[in-house]
Amino acid sequence: MRVDIAIVGGGLGGVAAALAATDGGARVALVTDGTWLGGQLTAQAVPPDEHPWVEQFGVTASYRRLREEIRGYYRRHYPLTREALLARELNPGAGLVSRLCHEPRVAVSAIEALLAPARAAGRLHVLAPYVVVGVESDGARAASLALAHTADDATTDRSVEATYVLDATETGELLPLARVPYVTGAESTEETGEPSAPDTADPLNMQAVSWCFAMDHVDGDHTIDRPDTYDYWRAQRPDFWPGPLLGFSWPNPRTLEPSHGWLAPNPDDDPLAVVADQSKEPGTDDLWRFRRIVARGQFKPGAFDSDVTLVNWPMIDYLDGPVFEVSKDAAAKHLEGARDLALSALYWMQTEAPRPDGGTGFPGLRLRPDITGTADGLAQQPYFRESRRIRAVTTVVEQDLSYSVRGGHGAVTYADSVGIGMYRIDLHPSTSGDNYLDVPSCPFQIPLGALLPAGGGNVLPAGKNIGTTHITNGAYRLHPIEWNIGEAVGALAAHCVATGLTPTAVHEDAGHLASYQALLDARGVERAWPSVGPY
C-alpha cells in the first residue's frame, strides 16, 4: 500500500491525526494492533480526565465533536429519563473524575462515526489488527513499514510506503524501529533543571501501568476464582503506602498523607446534581462514584439493575517493573503481573474488603466483560501512563508550567503554539519506588518544537511520545491533550504533503509557521488560553 501518511497506533492521538490528515486531503493508512480505536478512552477503559472548563473552552473543535457524538449516542439509543435527556451537559455515569463519564463501547461508536466519511471516500484505510515489525529506511527517512497480523495463524503480511510516518503508539514503539533518538524513564535534574527531578537519571523508572476493569453490583455471589498469585499481592505493602496495597488506604497524591477511601455500591444519589471538578475536589476517596460510567438513576426505572463503575484505583497500580525497554520475557511477565494484580484486587473486594455496614466482602461485585469487550472482563489493554519520548527541538520541563515556579506569570508561552492543555503534573508511583508526585500547574500550550525530533526526518510523534520529560508527561498525557497533539501532527503532515515543505521548514520560517497555524485556527484548534487560573 502506498499512502501519503502512515499512522501507527489507534489511540486518541492516532484517531485525531487521521481526521486532520484526511481533512487536509491526504491519503492515510491507520495501523492499529487492536480491534477498538480510541486507546486510553476505549481499549484501556479510562474515562476522560479533563479540566473544569471543558464545556466552554480549552479543547479542539474536533474533540468537542467527539464528546457530543458520545452524548448524542446516549440520547438516541438509551432509555434516559426526561431530565437526563434534556441535560445539556449529560454525564451518563455521573462520575467524579470527568463531566463526561461513559462506556468505552459508546466512544468506539462515536470514533467510528467521525472516521466514516474519510473511510467511505477512500482516503482512510484502517489496517487492523497489525503491528509494525520493521522499518525500511531511505537515508534519514522511514520509507516503508513491514506489518505482521497479530493473529497466531495469520500467514499474510503486508507493507506500507508513506511520505510521512506518525508514531501514535502507546509506548512510542516505532521510535527504536525507525532509529529516532528518544529518552525513557526519569531524567536527572542536571539534565533538565527540574526541581522535582532526581539527582541521577533512571531510564527504567516509569509510572505504573494499570489493568482496568468494569464491574457492577447485583444480587448473588459472583466471586471469581482465587487468583494463583493472590497471596503474593495480598502481602504487598510498598514502603510509602499506609497499609497493604490491596486496601482502601493509599497516599494522598497531593499531600502524601494517608487517604482512606470507601466502597459503597449503588448509592441513592442524584446523578444530575454531580458536577465533576478536579480543581476543587479530586473525588478519589469515593471509589464507586469516582469513575462510574453508568449511573442507573439517569435511565428509566428497570433499565439497569446496577450502576457500572470503572476500576482504575490506587490498588491496581503495578509497581514491580516496566513493560517496555526490557526483554520480551520481562515485559510479558510484568504485563501478566498487572493482570494478576487487577484480578487479585477484585477478589479481595469480593471476599475481604470492609463494607460500610461493618461486614466484609462484596460478593455481588460482578465483572462486566461485555463493557470492556473481552472474555475475562479486564480492559483490552493496560493503561499506559508513560511512553518513550523523542529528543525534541523543544523539551517542555517542569519549570515551564509548574505553578510553584511560575506563580502569577502563568506557563511559558510559545510563538509556535499548536494547541493548549491543562492538568496537574500528576505522576503515579513508579517502578523504581517513587511515591506520587502531584504538582499544581498553570494552563499551558503545546509548542510545535516539542512535536519535532531534533534530528529532523519524516517520523513524527502523535501521542505521549512528544518532547516532554518524565515529570511534564504527567500533565501532557491526558485525553484531550493527546487528541490535540495528534490533530496538530496530522494537520502538519498533510500540510507538508500538500506544499512540499518539511516540518522543519514550517517551524523555522515565520511565514510558513503562520500559514500552518492559520490552518489549525480554521479547524478550531485553540492555541492560547483566556485568563484562567492554575490548580
Side-chain angles (χ1 to χ4, degrees):
M1 180 180 289
R2 178 72 178 88
V3 295
D4 298 316
I5 300 167
I7 302 170
V8 183
L12 290 176
V15 169
L19 280 171
T22 53
D23 285 350
R27 292 169 296 121
V28 175
L30 175 58
V31 182
T32 178
D33 61 357
T35 56
W36 281 4
L37 296 174
Q40 59 177 313
L41 189 64
T42 59
Q44 297 172 30
V46 180
D49 287 281
E50 298 170 332
H51 57 70
W53 312 290
V54 65
E55 303 292 352
Q56 289 78 42
F57 52 81
V59 297
T60 75
S62 65
Y63 184 80
R64 197 171 301 284
R65 279 178 56 209
L66 171 66
R67 299 177 87 252
E68 288 309 309
E69 281 285 343
I70 292 169
R71 284 184 170 137
Y73 192 96
Y74 280 96
R75 292 180 178 123
R76 292 189 300 271
H77 300 295
Y78 278 65
L80 295 166
T81 64
R82 174 175 173 78
E83 294 78 10
L85 183 64
L86 295 176
R88 179 178 175 273
E89 298 178 4
L90 173 65
N91 188 351
L96 303 176
V97 71
S98 167
R99 298 186 185 221
L100 183 59
C101 290
H102 54 82
E103 300 157 72
R105 193 184 298 275
V106 174
V108 173
S109 297
I111 287 169
E112 292 288 353
L114 293 179
L115 294 177
R119 296 180 78 167
R123 291 193 300 274
L124 173 63
H125 301 275
V126 178
L127 306 180
Y130 280 92
V131 293
V132 176
V133 294
V135 177
E136 182 178 330
S137 298
D138 178 11
R141 299 176 62 83
S144 67
L145 309 176
L147 310 182
H149 200 279
T150 60
D152 292 339
D153 58 352
T155 58
T156 303
D157 296 337
R158 64 193 309 170
S159 63
V160 177
E161 297 179 0
T163 305
Y164 286 94
V165 177
L166 311 187
D167 184 351
T169 61
E170 297 299 322
T171 59
E173 297 158 25
L174 210 60
L175 301 182
L177 291 174
R179 293 184 285 279
V180 176
Y182 64 90
V183 62
T184 65
E187 299 91 342
S188 69
T189 188
E190 180 180 359
E191 178 180 356
T192 66
E194 295 173 305
S196 301
D199 292 337
T200 304
D202 186 352
L204 294 181
N205 186 18
M206 304 177 193
Q207 289 189 73
V209 299
S210 300
W211 216 305
C212 304
F213 57 90
M215 66 182 186
D216 59 11
H217 187 269
V218 293
D219 292 339
D221 187 344
H222 301 278
T223 304
I224 63 173
D225 292 339
R226 181 187 176 100
D228 292 339
T229 56
Y230 181 67
D231 289 339
Y232 171 80
W233 291 114
R234 190 175 182 273
Q236 292 305 298
R237 180 173 179 170
D239 292 341
F240 50 84
W241 220 256
L245 180 63
L246 298 186
F248 292 155
S249 296
W250 52 84
N252 182 297
R254 300 186 182 185
T255 67
L256 302 185
E257 295 298 317
S259 274
H260 304 291
W262 66 90
L263 182 62
N266 295 324
D268 188 22
D269 64 337
D270 177 5
L272 289 173
V274 173
V275 179
D277 186 346
Q278 291 194 58
S279 70
K280 297 177 180 176
E281 173 54 54
T284 52
D285 293 347
D286 186 347
L287 292 171
W288 185 266
R289 296 201 304 158
F290 181 47
R291 293 186 185 271
R292 183 173 54 178
I293 57 176
V294 173
R296 70 196 188 286
Q298 305 227 69
F299 303 90
K300 292 179 179 178
F304 288 89
D305 294 329
S306 169
D307 297 346
V308 180
T309 195
L310 208 294
V311 176
N312 178 17
W313 303 340
M315 70 176 76
I316 68 166
D317 279 5
Y318 179 82
L319 306 176
D320 282 15
V323 297
F324 61 92
E325 290 295 295
V326 293
S327 69
K328 287 184 178 180
D329 287 346
K333 171 189 172 184
H334 292 313
L335 287 171
E336 189 63 26
R339 295 176 64 87
D340 289 343
L341 172 57
L343 291 171
S344 295
L346 173 62
Y347 185 78
W348 176 82
M349 288 189 282
Q350 291 173 323
T351 59
E352 297 191 62
R355 298 197 308 260
D357 64 6
T360 57
F362 295 85
L365 293 176
R366 178 178 63 172
L367 273 174
R368 292 294 303 270
D370 51 336
I371 296 287
T372 55
T374 60
D376 61 8
L378 301 184
Q380 296 176 16
Q381 300 173 352
Y383 176 29
F384 297 101
R385 295 182 174 90
E386 192 162 341
S387 171
R388 299 172 179 90
R389 302 179 297 277
I390 63 166
R391 294 285 187 184
V393 172
T394 303
T395 300
V396 179
V397 293
E398 179 183 3
Q399 52 270 36
D400 292 341
L401 62 150
S402 167
Y403 177 62
S404 62
V405 175
R406 300 291 302 175
H409 297 288
V412 169
T413 58
Y414 301 99
D416 63 344
S417 172
V418 295
I420 56 177
M422 177 58 194
Y423 205 73
R424 291 172 68 94
I425 297 175
D426 172 20
L427 276 71
H428 281 236
S430 71
T431 55
S432 291
D434 289 346
N435 204 338
Y436 287 97
L437 176 66
D438 196 310
V439 177
S441 63
C442 305
F444 53 82
Q445 294 177 312
I446 305 168
L448 177 57
L451 313 185
L452 302 180
N458 69 328
V459 177
L460 302 173
K464 293 185 287 289
N465 50 355
I466 67 168
T468 56
T469 65
H470 174 68
I471 291 173
T472 54
N473 166 71
Y476 277 74
R477 64 183 172 83
L478 287 311
H479 303 67
I481 306 165
E482 181 187 347
W483 182 279
N484 193 150
I485 291 165
E487 183 169 356
V489 172
L492 174 65
H495 179 62
C496 289
V497 168
T499 61
L501 296 168
T502 65
T504 299
V506 170
H507 188 239
E508 292 182 347
D509 182 274
H512 294 327
L513 176 61
S515 295
Y516 162 60
Q517 289 176 319
L519 291 176
L520 296 180
D521 294 342
R523 287 190 57 81
V525 174
E526 299 177 31
R527 298 188 297 106
W529 281 97
S531 180
V532 291
Y535 67 85

